[in-house]
Amino acid sequence: MIAILGAGSLGRLWAAKLPAGQVAFVPRPGQIPEPVCYQFCPFEGQARRVTVPWLQPGQSPDVLLVTTKAGDTLEALSTILPRLPTSTPVILFQNGLGSQQQVANTWPNRPILAASSTEGANRPEANVTVHAGQGETRVGALNIPGETHLIPVVQSLADSQLPLHAEQDILSRLWQKLVINAGINAFTAILNCPNGDILQQPFYQQWIGPLCREITLLLKAAGQTEQTADELQNRIETVARNTAANTSSMRADILAGRTTEIDFINGYLVRLGQQHGIATPVNQMLVERVQQLH
Ligand code: NAD
Ligand code: KPL
């Protein structure tokens, strides 16, 4: 049995793709025990109805997928983890960085893994989940107890048919995605435009160079593969062009009136800069501008 904490877009994608009967959502305390029913629109092919039960008291899943937003993750896990055996592997699917470390530091003896996923899922209506973009998911251990669980959990998720790989250096993968999100998401939210449109905007053109210079110093301070500011900007702009028509997750959150994950993207970079004595005025400015939109 695979349990999923966070019955939102990504959680519903995984629940729909995993074999029926092998997956359950973790309820919030006091949640109505009726199963979750929704229409699932796969990337290709016919839409279908999906029904997912809630995890029942006493049921012990083989693995827990955590698909809450970064800012909700610690609190959500605090409710469920005391009820699960210490040996249950936990896979964190959050974007950005910071929430993963919070979880690993809070439960150092539990097997904690993280996933970096480029799948795209959204919910245009409450009871409709769309698999909007095909990507891949890399899973790796965040702590030593997680290491022995890596291959078994990747095997147990393979039934989903979603492209999935075991990753030996998941922190580096999370960093690579963080850098892209740090250079695209806030701009799309502030400018209220699709990803590709930021490239023509004076606000983006003014700040992307200084932003990449800050990130270059932070990558070095964090012991990550060093990249020049120009290399970073090229990578960011390649992704912006390849996803030109997309609404970024941060812009989507703002448009839907949800809290964004800015604290775990540019906000994480600001906190890292403070720890290392590296000034991050552009990241700070982007955090403040997005927070004003909340
Ligand atoms: P979402 O807001 O659609 O889903 C989060 C769900 O968690 C919501 O249904 C919310 O009610 C639930 N939740 C919050 N607190 C809870 C609690 N205490 N107990 C139980 N449930 C709780 O968000 P999403 O788009 O599914 O994204 C989830 C995470 O996955 C984010 O960090 C996001 O960056 C990352 N991610 C999403 C996608 C995607 O395509 N949607 C792709 C890659 C990564
Ligand atoms: O990951 C993304 C997001 O929207 O969060 C990008 C790469 C910007 C694609 O939209």
Side-chain angles (χ1 to χ4, degrees), residues 141-285:
L142 271 186
N143 62 5
I144 291 170
E147 284 172 6
T148 52
H149 292 266
L150 177 56
I151 299 305
V153 297
V154 167
Q155 282 166 349
S156 71
L157 297 180
D159 287 340
S160 68
Q161 310 292 335
L162 291 169
L164 191 68
H165 309 277
E167 171 66 64
Q168 292 311 318
D169 187 358
I170 192 65
L171 195 58
S172 155
R173 285 274 163 194
L174 291 167
W175 257 103
Q176 287 171 35
K177 185 144 195 279
L178 173 80
V179 163
I180 302 297
N181 290 136
I184 295 179
N185 292 28
F187 288 108
T188 62
I190 295 163
L191 298 166
N192 190 19
C193 67
N195 295 355
D197 288 10
I198 59 173
L199 302 174
Q200 287 84 46
Q201 296 274 348
F203 178 71
Y204 170 84
Q205 290 166 351
Q206 178 183 358
W207 292 115
I208 189 63
L211 177 71
C212 288
R213 286 196 281 282
E214 289 179 14
I215 298 175
T216 294
L217 297 176
L218 293 166
L219 279 169
K220 189 171 179 203
Q224 291 297 312
T225 308
E226 292 182 36
Q227 291 176 65
T228 66
D230 284 348
E231 285 167 346
L232 284 173
Q233 187 171 339
N234 280 338
R235 284 189 52 218
I236 288 165
E237 295 187 353
T238 301
V239 175
R241 274 191 288 274
N242 289 345
T243 61
N246 278 23
T247 287
S248 78
S249 55
M250 194 170 288
R251 179 179 179 226
D253 284 339
I254 292 291
L255 292 175
R258 294 185 294 255
T259 303
T260 70
E261 295 187 302
I262 190 75
D263 285 347
F264 300 89
I265 301 177
N266 303 87
Y268 175 78
L269 296 174
V270 170
R271 290 193 296 281
L272 193 71
Q274 286 162 352
Q275 282 166 28
H276 291 280
I278 296 169
T280 56
V282 184
N283 278 290
Q284 180 68 43
M285 178 272 292

Side-chain angles (χ1 to χ4, degrees), residues 60-135:
S60 186
D62 301 314
V63 54
L64 176 66
L65 312 190
V66 186
T67 54
T68 46
K69 292 278 198 187
D72 294 327
T73 298
L74 203 58
E75 192 186 324
L77 277 171
S78 303
T79 312
I80 176 71
L81 281 187
R83 307 207 306 262
L84 299 184
T86 326
S87 57
T88 309
V90 175
I91 311 183
L92 306 170
F93 277 77
Q94 289 62 46
N95 260 350
L97 275 170
S99 69
Q100 298 89 342
Q101 291 93 332
Q102 286 176 341
V103 172
N105 291 340
T106 307
W107 292 283
N109 299 321
R110 285 185 174 270
I112 309 289
L113 300 96
S116 177
S117 180
T118 53
E119 297 291 351
N122 59 55
R123 290 169 72 196
E125 295 168 48
N127 60 355
V128 177
T129 299
V130 178
H131 187 192
Q134 263 182 330

